[in-house]
Amino acid sequence: MKKLYMKQQVFSWTDKFTVKDENDQDIYLIEGDMIVIGGKKLHIKDMDGNEIGMVQQKLLSLMPKFFVFVNGNQVAEIKKKIAFFKAKYVIEGPNWKVKGSILDHDYTIEENDEEIASLHKVWLSWGDAFELNIKDGTNEIMALAVVIAIDCVQAMQEETTSISLHSTT
């Protein structure tokens, strides 16, 4: 089982941040593009600067939708579905399902009822963080990209809700 750590509230379309391993070593760099004609993008790079994954937002979609690329190939499409009282996501491509509480950052990604990865909010010495546990190293970049895409949807919705609340007061 591989563990990756990301600081809370770091998923941004314009920022750069790193993903750390269990030894607090930087292993991935995430860089965002704010304005892109085809939709917003987050690039996942190794520490040598080589792009190994990307999350791209699809524009003009009723519900949030993201494409996941690994080594230049589209491997998944993530769609948020309308659901009452709970966020629900469909991951097309690898046949993965998201189960648990997305709002609490405590969920698993499963394939055929077998856990691929899990995300939990943890408190470390360097601040609140997410711990991503990945069972199979061959799915590491795709699992990281899926988690980033889900968090981007949540962050976008929190911004929209915050803007709506401020504009009505």
Side-chain angles (χ1 to χ4, degrees):
M1 176 97 40
K2 182 151 186 185
K3 293 182 183 208
L4 303 178
Y5 295 93
M6 299 159 281
K7 280 195 116 176
Q8 185 176 4
Q9 302 297 330
V10 292
F11 301 126
S12 169
W13 296 110
T14 58
D15 290 340
K16 292 181 184 180
F17 62 92
T18 58
V19 176
K20 297 180 179 291
D21 66 10
E22 308 174 66
N23 300 316
D24 203 30
Q25 299 295 311
D26 294 338
I27 59 169
Y28 299 116
L29 175 66
I30 313 297
E31 293 183 312
D33 291 342
M34 180 57 179
I35 300 174
V36 178
I37 293 174
K40 298 174 184 176
K41 295 179 183 178
L42 285 172
H43 305 274
I44 302 170
K45 298 180 178 184
D46 63 20
M47 294 313 294
D48 292 326
N50 301 309
E51 184 171 289
I52 53 177
M54 181 181 65
V55 175
Q56 181 177 2
Q57 176 190 24
K58 180 180 181 187
L59 295 178
L60 304 174
S61 179
L62 180 62
M63 293 299 290
K65 186 183 291 187
F66 289 84
F67 301 108
V68 173
F69 297 84
V70 174
N71 295 321
N73 298 311
Q74 183 179 333
V75 295
E77 184 175 327
I78 302 166
K79 300 176 186 178
K80 180 164 187 197
K81 295 292 188 181
I82 297 173
F84 296 103
F85 307 114
K86 189 172 165 180
K88 182 175 181 176
Y89 292 85
V90 173
I91 304 170
E92 295 179 354
N95 194 29
W96 289 0
K97 295 188 182 335
V98 179
K99 295 182 179 179
S101 177
I102 294 185
L103 294 175
D104 292 331
H105 305 288
D106 188 22
Y107 60 88
T108 60
I109 300 170
E110 298 177 356
E111 181 176 33
N112 300 321
D113 293 324
E114 186 174 326
E115 184 176 307
I116 300 294
S118 64
L119 183 82
H120 307 283
K121 188 173 181 179
V122 296
W123 289 266
L124 299 173
S125 60
W126 46 282
D128 289 351
F130 301 125
E131 178 183 274
L132 177 60
N133 296 302
I134 304 168
K135 183 177 178 184
D136 180 0
T138 60
N139 292 317
E140 184 173 326
I141 302 304
M142 187 162 47
L144 177 60
V146 166
V147 166
I148 289 171
I150 290 171
D151 198 70
C152 285
V153 172
Q154 294 304 116
M156 287 169 31
Q157 289 185 323
E158 287 173 13
E159 281 180 21
T160 303
T161 302
S162 176
I163 291 169
S164 297
L165 290 174
H166 290 297
S167 65
T168 59
T169 55

